[in-house]
Amino acid sequence: MRRLDQLIASLGYCSRSEVRDLIADERLTVHGEPAEGPNQKVTAAEVRLDDAPLDHPDGLLLVLHKPLGLVCSHDGREGPSIYTLLPDRWRR
């Protein structure tokens, strides 16, 4: 079990301080109830953000058929990157 703010931040959704805003807006729920606070002890399976489950805490494996014209590089000088297709939080 981990603190709610640490879990959300480690998965790249937002910073630990921004978790307080998610809690205040009742966007984070634990077992279907609004989260109590950033220091609440939880597991990823118990938490939902905007009524959607969290990404798996052990990471994701993404299989992508690379579109023509995109490169597999983080270096912007090489051209448009496949990483622009991913959600921001996955790139963090």
Side-chain angles (χ1 to χ4, degrees):
M1 302 211 24
R2 298 175 68 182
R3 286 175 47 117
L4 179 59
D5 59 351
Q6 291 173 338
L7 174 67
I8 299 297
S10 71
L11 294 176
Y13 286 95
C14 62
S15 69
R16 287 176 54 187
S17 60
E18 293 170 326
V19 171
R20 294 178 195 277
D21 295 331
L22 294 176
I23 293 170
D25 295 339
E26 295 188 354
R27 294 179 58 198
L28 281 172
T29 58
V30 179
H31 294 295
E33 299 294 324
E36 297 171 6
N39 60 346
Q40 183 176 0
K41 298 289 187 181
V42 296
T43 64
E46 301 170 334
V47 180
R48 294 178 78 81
L49 174 61
D50 294 332
D51 205 30
L54 300 178
D55 293 332
H56 196 275
D58 293 330
L60 298 172
L61 174 64
L62 179 70
V63 177
L64 175 73
H65 292 279
K66 185 181 80 60
L68 288 174
L70 297 181
V71 296
C72 297
S73 173
H74 290 284
D75 187 345
R77 297 174 295 182
E78 294 187 26
S81 170
I82 61 166
Y83 298 105
T84 61
L85 302 174
L86 304 176
D88 287 338
R89 69 176 191 273
W90 289 7
R91 287 185 256 152
R92 283 187 233 144

